[in-house]
Amino acid sequence: MQACIALGWLRTIFVPLVAACVAILSFFVCPSSHWWQSIDWQTLNLLFCLMFVVAGLRACNLFRVLAQILLVGKQSFRALAHTLVQLSFWVSMIVTNDVALIVLVPFAIYVLDRQALRHRLPSVIVLQTVAANLGSMATPIGNPQNLFLYTAYDIAPGAFFCVMLPMVLVGWVLLTIMTQVLQNEPTYVRFIHIQSLANPYKVLLYGLLFTLCVLTVFRLFSNTWLFFIVTGCALLFCRNALRAVDYGLLFTFVCFFIFSNNLGQISSCSNILERFLQKNTQATAVLTSQVISNVPAAILLTPFTLNWRGLLLGVNIGGFGTLIASLASLISFRLYATEKNARPWRYLLLFTLINVIFSIVLTGFSLFGDLG
């Protein structure tokens, strides 16, 4: 049990530490005097601004208020599970899969515990995790790897959605079927303590800042001006939200930018990566994601291929598989594993089974699309 719980700390401690180590080691193998030029500051700025806005909205209880409105009165476990899973799916499109799980998994634990349905937690949380990873595929801001690739390859919005939306639709159908086959039992959801917005005026401010972030993503607003506006508002009105930004993820990005640049200077390594990516970009991205997770995989492989479509599909489909394939999956596992009477090995077995199914279905559909 303790070993499983310890895995939950990978995202906050282990991954940034490994990223720092590989970046430092890469200097010994291939020193570079222009390493700072490899850092994609535009992506880092967008990611920082989005994380700040979402952290602020979360602090204002916006997501909990919406969840309560949608859940109250549910009269069967299947209806309750369906709503919790669909919430994870749709919310992850705009606030990233990480944040969706941070907010909604504890809420699911709270609701099911008070309905004497704690034994159903593994199935619900696993489906929530899959839903968040799936929904986040649909938009450039749904997860960090999408935002990075969207910016790095200067992908047109229409091209991005044409590639990802059919895949997401197929996954959503499969997700809905899995939710509907859950064993049903009667229940009725009511809340003793009703959540309310902590600060409606700040919700409005964060909403305006989020709108600017979206406009910047779609290249309708200046990235530089976005940084100054968001930073100014943060320092003047919302300093607390700055503490909730995932600086570890930003640091990981910087380290892998440096590592990828230095690795590219080594002809033997770059030739091997280029050979694998040329042979099958998507498969290489899927397999790499299983080992180092999909965000670092996207950063590592980007300099060695122009096939953004295969790489985009690969790192997103690659999020379905091992527990570390998507760092967001570690969040829900940690939240469940620390609960009383948790059964982490049962959770891991169910998680792996469902993720393998999704990986096979989505890979098969992507190949079918290529043949078409």
Side-chain angles (χ1 to χ4, degrees):
M1 170 73 78
Q2 295 300 320
C4 291
I5 295 175
L7 284 173
W9 296 102
L10 283 172
R11 184 180 184 279
T12 55
I13 298 175
F14 184 72
V15 173
L17 181 61
V18 170
C21 289
V22 296
I24 293 171
L25 288 174
S26 68
F27 281 108
F28 290 97
V29 177
C30 185
S32 174
S33 58
H34 302 286
W35 56 269
W36 67 87
Q37 296 178 356
S38 65
I39 300 174
D40 189 340
W41 297 107
Q42 184 177 1
T43 297
L44 291 176
N45 177 48
L46 278 171
L47 194 56
F48 164 77
C49 293
L50 283 165
M51 288 193 294
F52 166 76
V53 170
V54 171
L57 290 173
R58 182 185 171 207
C60 291
N61 287 336
L62 176 65
F63 305 121
R64 285 185 174 272
V65 170
L66 292 176
Q68 279 195 351
I69 293 173
L70 292 172
L71 290 174
V72 68
K74 295 297 180 185
Q75 298 184 2
S76 72
F77 167 71
R78 189 176 293 160
L80 175 61
H82 178 76
T83 303
L84 287 167
V85 171
Q86 291 297 319
L87 269 174
S88 299
F89 176 80
W90 294 103
V91 169
S92 66
M93 292 185 185
I94 57 174
V95 300
T96 76
N97 48 359
D98 298 45
V99 174
L101 293 172
I102 289 171
V103 173
L104 295 173
V105 168
F107 197 77
I109 294 172
Y110 170 83
V111 173
L112 293 179
D113 186 49
R114 279 150 184 79
Q115 304 300 318
L117 294 170
R118 178 171 282 271
H119 59 289
R120 299 296 189 90
L121 279 175
S123 57
V124 172
I125 296 176
V126 167
L127 288 176
Q128 280 185 297
T129 305
V130 170
N133 287 330
L134 181 66
S136 67
M137 294 167 54
T139 66
I141 61 175
N143 54 52
Q145 69 268 18
N146 278 4
L147 183 60
F148 167 68
L149 293 175
Y150 179 84
T151 303
Y153 286 103
D154 197 23
I155 303 172
F160 178 92
F161 291 121
C162 284
V163 171
M164 298 309 300
L165 289 185
M167 189 76 55
V168 174
L169 179 60
V170 170
W172 178 81
V173 171
L174 178 59
L175 179 70
T176 303
I177 292 172
M178 286 189 173
T179 306
Q180 292 304 312
V181 299
L182 290 173
Q183 185 178 355
N184 205 15
E185 56 187 281
T187 185
Y188 185 83
V189 180
R190 56 180 177 270
F191 297 96
I192 300 175
H193 303 291
I194 303 299
Q195 295 282 342
S196 59
L197 292 178
N199 193 322
Y201 294 105
K202 282 191 177 181
V203 172
L204 178 60
L205 174 61
Y206 289 127
L208 293 173
L209 294 177
F210 181 76
T211 302
L212 291 180
C213 289
V214 173
L215 291 175
T216 304
V217 168
F218 290 106
R219 306 180 185 104
L220 299 174
F221 191 76
S222 167
N223 198 291
T224 303
W225 276 109
L226 176 69
F227 172 77
F228 285 117
I229 292 173
V230 170
T231 304
C233 290
L235 295 176
L236 290 174
F237 309 112
C238 317
R239 294 183 183 180
N240 288 336
L242 284 173
R243 301 190 187 101
V245 172
D246 189 349
Y247 295 104
L249 179 60
L250 295 175
F251 178 73
T252 300
F253 263 69
V254 171
C255 292
F256 273 98
F257 283 140
I258 297 170
F259 173 70
S260 298
N261 174 72
N262 291 346
L263 190 66
Q265 307 303 314
I266 306 173
S267 58
S268 58
C269 292
S270 60
N271 289 337
I272 291 174
L273 286 174
E274 287 172 357
R275 192 178 307 121
F276 276 105
L277 288 165
Q278 187 175 12
K279 188 174 183 180
N280 195 316
T281 303
Q282 182 175 320
T284 302
V286 170
L287 294 175
T288 305
S289 298
Q290 303 308 306
V291 180
I292 64 173
S293 88
N294 50 10
V295 175
I299 300 172
L300 174 64
L301 299 176
T302 294
F304 306 103
T305 181
L306 296 177
N307 182 8
W308 65 264
R309 183 184 183 278
L311 188 55
L312 181 65
L313 287 171
V315 294
N316 277 283
I317 295 175
F320 301 95
T322 63
L323 189 63
I324 65 171
S326 170
L327 295 178
S329 299
L330 286 169
I331 294 174
S332 51
F333 175 73
R334 181 181 62 187
L335 291 169
Y336 171 72
T338 53
E339 283 295 303
K340 183 180 179 180
N341 298 323
R343 302 174 66 182
W345 294 113
R346 178 187 175 188
Y347 178 97
L348 287 173
L349 180 62
L350 182 62
F351 174 89
T352 303
L353 174 63
I354 292 179
N355 272 265
V356 167
I357 293 173
F358 269 86
S359 181
I360 292 173
V361 171
L362 294 180
T363 298
F365 179 78
S366 68
L367 295 176
F368 175 79
D370 286 339
L371 292 175

